[in-house]
Amino acid sequence: MRSENTPFVGGPLDGRVLPVLVGPTGHPPKWYEVPVPDDGGGPPTVHAYLRVPAGYSKRLGLQRGWKYAYAPDGRERHRPRWPWSKPDSTP
């Protein structure tokens, strides 16, 4: 597997550059979760980072890699929306 040095913005990993494994398409995962152990022995706190474009080139507007931005609300959970499924009853 290949890895890519990816910068992190915000949260506890702000300013760090870590190697992240890339998939078969050459992109890092869309979400990166970092578990931080609890001092009291409880369940670990999970910090979530969302993959965003790192920037664009001036002339052609091509994307220049990826970076991870801190998502304080956590990872977005969603289900597939099939035409035959009932609508979600939670407000």
Side-chain angles (χ1 to χ4, degrees), residues 34-47:
V34 180
V36 177
D38 187 17
D39 293 337
T45 303
V46 178
H47 297 286

Side-chain angles (χ1 to χ4, degrees), residues 15-51:
R16 294 188 185 184
V17 178
L18 300 175
V20 176
L21 292 175
V22 295
T25 60
H27 297 294
K30 188 171 182 179
W31 287 94
Y32 192 82
E33 295 179 341
V34 180
V36 177
D38 187 17
D39 293 337
T45 303
V46 178
H47 297 286
Y49 287 85
L50 176 64
R51 182 188 71 192

Side-chain angles (χ1 to χ4, degrees), residues 11-12 29 35 37 40-43 48 60 62-64 67 77 79 84:
L60 298 176
L62 300 175
Q63 185 178 331
R64 298 185 138 200
K67 66 181 178 181
R77 303 286 182 194
R79 327 179 309 193
W84 55 84

Side-chain angles (χ1 to χ4, degrees), residues 55-62 64:
Y56 296 94
S57 65
K58 290 182 181 180
R59 292 187 72 170
L60 298 176
L62 300 175
R64 298 185 138 200

